[in-house]
Amino acid sequence: PQATPFASTTDVRHAFSVAMSDVYRTEVPLYSDLLSLVGDVNNSFLESNPSVRRHMEETDQLERLHYERHGAIRLGTAEEMKMMARFFAIMGMQPVGYYDLSQPPARLPVHATCFRCLDLESLSMNPFRVFVSLLRPECISSNLRSKAFKILSRRQIFSSRCLELIELAERQAGLSAAEADEFIKEGLETFKWRGTSTVSLSEYSDLQTESALLADIVAFPGPHINHLTPRTLDIDQVQISMEKNGIPVKEVIEGPPARDCPILLRQTSFKALKEGVYFPTYGDDGSRSETVLGSHTARFGEIEQRGAALTEKGRALYDHLVNEAWKKGVTPQDPEAYKDLFKSFPDTWKDIRSQSLAWFRYYPVKDATKDGEDSIEELIRNGKVAYEPLTYEDFLPLSAAGIFRSNLRTTSAGDENESVTVTGDDGRDELQKAVKRVIVDEFVTYRMLQQESLENCKVHFALTT
Ligand code: OOG
Ligand code: NI
């Protein structure tokens, strides 16, 4: 086949995530400190665990670690969500998973999905992912709802050149290298922090009084990225280093306790910064006269340690144990007791696999040849097929709720307000309509990757079953 004249979606995604990280470093100096800290911890972890390093190298997992990031933005309207989905598609990122944050314990006026790539090759080159929340009109009080949407209707979060490039990319099914450069530059504008509000200080206060999240979404000209998260191999160590370095870190690590076999996702963050914001004031005739200086608190830093993706069965066991912990009043704040409660979740890969609790990638061991075996299980037993857990590429709603809570000013009633909770199960459909494409089920993505790796092994060893 003829080589395409276009940049690959992975190249564009990689360049975009690196450029975004560079911008965020200059905007939030603490993020820059955090990156060096995480880099140091990862390096010393790999030095003291040479077998882990070798394994990660051999299985194509080391490279991605250096620039692995996730970010988060919050959108106002379905229209913005639809355009955002088209924007991410150009970088090979699809919406995966549905997170309803209007439910307890989060009770925030948003629901969300994660944009990420799906196949192993793309993931191993750069697994950049973005958690995208969308405001839910039904969760806003009736006296602010129409006002909020009127304000939102006046903004266009993409530059007109960016919109042109999105259409161009769709029309010609790709972007040339020069077009991709421009797409990245224009796209970054959407995610940049802009320290000027689109509303007056008193309108901002009204929004803020109902919900800090509502103010963060409605009062600004665009969906500034609110955090960018590097991945660490040893989150407990980073937490200690953050405390030592005087970084205002959150008290507890969200997610499962520390284990020999890491599962899902553990996260911690440093608290949001208070930043100066200019608010316009309006003259009696409605014209904009001057600006006053106020402040806003939204942007923060976060780190995460990613473990194995769990099957439906594994996830059900995990959720059950989390519930038990809640019922007993045991929290991650008491790490020993918390760890104890999770004892019934097996902690060797062999057990986890034999009980089908996690997804795995299977691969032929180098130079192994078949000697009469006629099944994958036999090849595994004889050390000819090896397996390793698939990395969890998604998010945990409970942890997300904790992250939101610790980083939004909590003095406003709305963020803890029972009335935010909406009943019924049509949120997913509603978000899917906004995204204008199918929201992929996360379990389907892992099952496919596992299946693919098994097929490869079968072909490699010429198995017939
Ligand atoms: C998103 C919070 C979710 C995570 O890591 O769980 C998230 C937000 O604060 O907008 O990023
Ligand atoms: Ni996050």
Side-chain angles (χ1 to χ4, degrees):
Q2 216 182 337
T4 70
F6 296 134
S8 75
T9 53
T10 286
D11 287 344
V12 185
R13 182 177 66 257
H14 180 62
F16 183 78
S17 87
V18 168
M20 178 169 283
S21 181
D22 287 344
V23 171
Y24 205 62
R25 280 172 89 121
T26 60
E27 287 184 353
V28 182
L30 261 181
Y31 166 71
S32 196
D33 299 348
L34 197 64
L35 283 189
S36 10
L37 215 145
V38 167
D40 290 348
V41 168
N42 285 352
N43 285 338
S44 59
F45 180 90
L46 289 167
E47 253 164 52
S48 39
N49 296 276
S51 64
V52 176
R53 166 188 275 278
R54 206 172 325 110
H55 180 74
M56 287 185 76
E57 230 157 35
E58 280 167 12
T59 55
D60 262 353
Q61 297 182 83
L62 196 53
E63 261 306 286
R64 65 178 258 181
L65 187 68
H66 302 308
Y67 29 69
E68 177 157 355
R69 308 273 187 273
H70 85 248
I73 55 171
R74 302 152 182 172
L75 299 176
T77 65
E79 205 45 46
E80 291 176 358
M81 183 56 115
K82 185 176 82 183
M83 196 46 85
M84 195 53 80
R86 291 169 65 185
F87 177 81
F88 283 133
I90 290 160
M91 300 190 280
M93 298 158 78
Q94 306 295 327
V96 181
Y98 175 70
Y99 304 88
D100 188 357
L101 292 150
S102 68
Q103 298 302 315
R107 291 203 183 102
L108 294 160
V110 292
H111 50 183
T113 186
C114 158
F115 286 87
R116 66 166 174 91
C117 52
L118 306 182
D119 64 286
L120 271 187
E121 199 187 332
S122 303
L123 286 166
S124 74
M125 308 253 240
N126 189 318
F128 182 56
R129 49 182 97 73
V130 183
F131 190 92
V132 182
S133 318
L134 176 64
L135 190 60
R136 299 187 75 172
E138 61 275 38
C139 299
I140 308 172
S141 69
S142 52
N143 54 327
L144 274 181
R145 193 181 304 142
S146 63
K147 184 163 194 187
F149 281 94
K150 197 165 153 213
I151 296 166
L152 286 168
S153 74
R154 293 196 291 252
R155 75 178 190 184
Q156 171 51 264
I157 63 171
F158 290 101
S159 73
S160 47
R161 183 59 185 147
C162 191
L163 294 174
E164 274 170 26
L165 287 163
I166 292 172
E167 268 162 34
L168 179 69
E170 289 171 347
R171 209 166 46 238
Q172 52 183 32
L175 293 173
S176 71
E179 287 158 358
D181 283 348
E182 210 189 347
F183 171 81
I184 290 162
K185 183 174 138 282
E186 293 291 330
L188 281 177
E189 291 301 312
T190 300
F191 299 86
K192 270 189 186 154
W193 170 248
R194 277 167 289 177
T196 306
S197 176
T198 52
V199 303
S200 70
L201 188 53
S202 82
E203 286 171 310
Y204 173 83
S205 304
D206 290 347
L207 295 164
Q208 178 79 31
T209 304
E210 168 148 334
S211 153
L213 184 55
L214 186 64
D216 185 56
I217 295 173
V218 175
F220 293 90
H224 40 266
I225 188 114
N226 64 54
H227 66 285
L228 214 49
T229 304
R231 176 176 172 192
T232 178
L233 297 172
D234 187 350
I235 197 166
D236 298 288
Q237 193 51 50
V238 178
Q239 175 92 359
I240 292 167
S241 306
M242 276 163 84
E243 281 161 8
K244 265 201 206 132
N245 283 275
I247 297 178
V249 66
K250 198 167 147 298
E251 293 78 16
V252 292
I253 296 174
E254 305 274 350
R259 297 161 42 88
D260 291 337
C261 300
I263 53 169
L264 298 171
L265 175 63
R266 303 181 71 211
Q267 300 175 308
T268 186
S269 60
F270 69 72
K271 302 227 166 96
L273 321 165
K274 190 166 175 176
E275 299 175 278
V277 174
Y278 290 98
F279 293 89
T281 55
Y282 297 93
D284 292 339
D285 60 351
S287 68
R288 206 171 142 140
S289 51
E290 48 186 282
T291 55
V292 291
L293 186 60
S295 70
H296 181 68
T297 306
R299 297 193 305 162
F300 60 99
E302 182 192 45
I303 47 162
E304 64 187 9
Q305 180 173 347
R306 288 189 173 262
L310 299 186
T311 58
E312 289 93 333
K313 185 181 170 202
R315 181 58 184 267
L317 176 57
Y318 173 76
D319 286 343
H320 168 75
L321 294 173
V322 169
N323 271 328
E324 290 294 293
W326 271 66
K327 270 194 238 154
K328 296 194 172 122
V330 179
T331 68
Q333 235 141 358
D334 183 355
E336 284 312 311
Y338 201 63
K339 202 170 169 171
D340 221 45
L341 273 181
F342 281 81
K343 264 200 326 250
S344 51
F345 201 110
D347 204 7
T348 66
W349 292 125
K350 194 160 175 282
D351 291 346
I352 290 173
R353 190 183 85 89
S354 69
Q355 294 178 38
S356 306
L357 297 173
W359 302 106
F360 291 88
R361 181 178 81 91
Y362 295 84
Y363 56 97
V365 170
K366 204 162 166 259
D367 300 330
T369 52
K370 190 167 69 164
D371 185 18
E373 298 92 342
D374 62 5
S375 75
I376 295 278
E377 287 308 314
E378 237 183 309
L379 286 162
I380 292 172
R381 258 196 314 275
N382 296 345
K384 296 177 182 178
V385 164
Y387 56 86
E388 57 169 4
L390 288 170
T391 299
Y392 189 55
E393 307 288 351
D394 296 289
F395 291 88
L396 293 175
L398 255 183
S399 304
I403 303 268
F404 267 109
R405 249 201 318 272
S406 71
N407 286 292
L408 292 162
R409 235 191 48 190
T410 49
T411 48
S412 52
D415 292 327
E416 316 252 308
N417 196 336
E418 308 241 346
S419 71
V420 163
T421 308
V422 282
T423 48
D425 202 23
D426 47 9
R428 176 187 268 269
D429 280 352
E430 192 188 303
L431 190 68
Q432 195 147 274
K433 266 193 217 129
V435 174
K436 280 244 157 53
R437 43 194 91 209
V438 175
I439 294 178
V440 182
D441 177 345
E442 62 173 69
F443 293 113
V444 171
T445 68
Y446 301 114
R447 180 178 292 112
M448 243 165 52
L449 296 178
Q450 175 172 296
Q451 201 52 40
E452 225 173 74
S453 74
L454 285 168
E455 292 302 326
N456 286 344
C457 290
K458 282 184 189 166
V459 170
H460 183 91
F461 288 107
L463 294 187
T464 47
T465 49

